[in-house]
Amino acid sequence: GGWVIRIVAIEIGIMIALIGWRIKNLPPQIPILFSRPWGEMQLAGPMVLWLLPGLTWLILLVSTLGGGIVFAGEKLAARIWLLAAGLVGFLATTSTVRILLLMS
């Protein structure tokens, strides 16, 4: 399970680096809330992008600690829990890259 933690940490680092590199060049409103109807309801300020690495880190923390506590006797369940955090990290990184490419 340690390799998943390292991969998610790298993904979080990539998101932080990309956001930090591009934040000054972004327009005042960017499309990020894709679950809302099309148009202005999808727009938010560029600072909302920081939620993606922050929430990914929080999910990794909860899945690492929670998986070890809740599934102490079930190693497979703890690994699945941790792999789900890895998937969330991958999706958050992909979303960050796509949003930033959309704005360039």
Side-chain angles (χ1 to χ4, degrees):
W3 61 273
V4 175
I5 295 171
R6 284 191 282 276
I7 289 174
V8 175
I10 291 169
E11 291 170 343
I12 291 170
I14 290 170
M15 284 188 281
I16 290 171
L18 287 174
I19 294 169
W21 176 54
R22 295 279 306 175
I23 196 84
K24 298 222 187 249
N25 299 329
L26 293 175
Q29 298 289 313
I30 59 171
I32 192 167
L33 306 169
F34 295 113
S35 63
R36 292 191 176 177
W38 189 82
E40 287 190 34
M41 296 190 71
Q42 288 185 347
L43 301 178
M47 296 307 282
V48 174
L49 280 174
W50 291 109
L51 286 176
L52 291 170
L55 289 175
T56 302
W57 178 81
L58 183 65
I59 289 170
L60 178 65
L61 181 69
V62 167
S63 67
T64 303
L65 297 176
I69 293 170
V70 173
F71 302 114
E74 295 290 331
K75 288 188 177 188
L76 179 62
R79 287 183 182 170
I80 291 172
W81 191 261
L82 196 56
L83 284 173
L87 179 62
V88 168
F90 174 75
L91 293 174
T93 305
T94 303
S95 296
T96 302
V97 169
R98 292 191 67 180
I99 290 168
L100 293 175
L101 286 176
L102 182 66
M103 294 290 100
S104 45

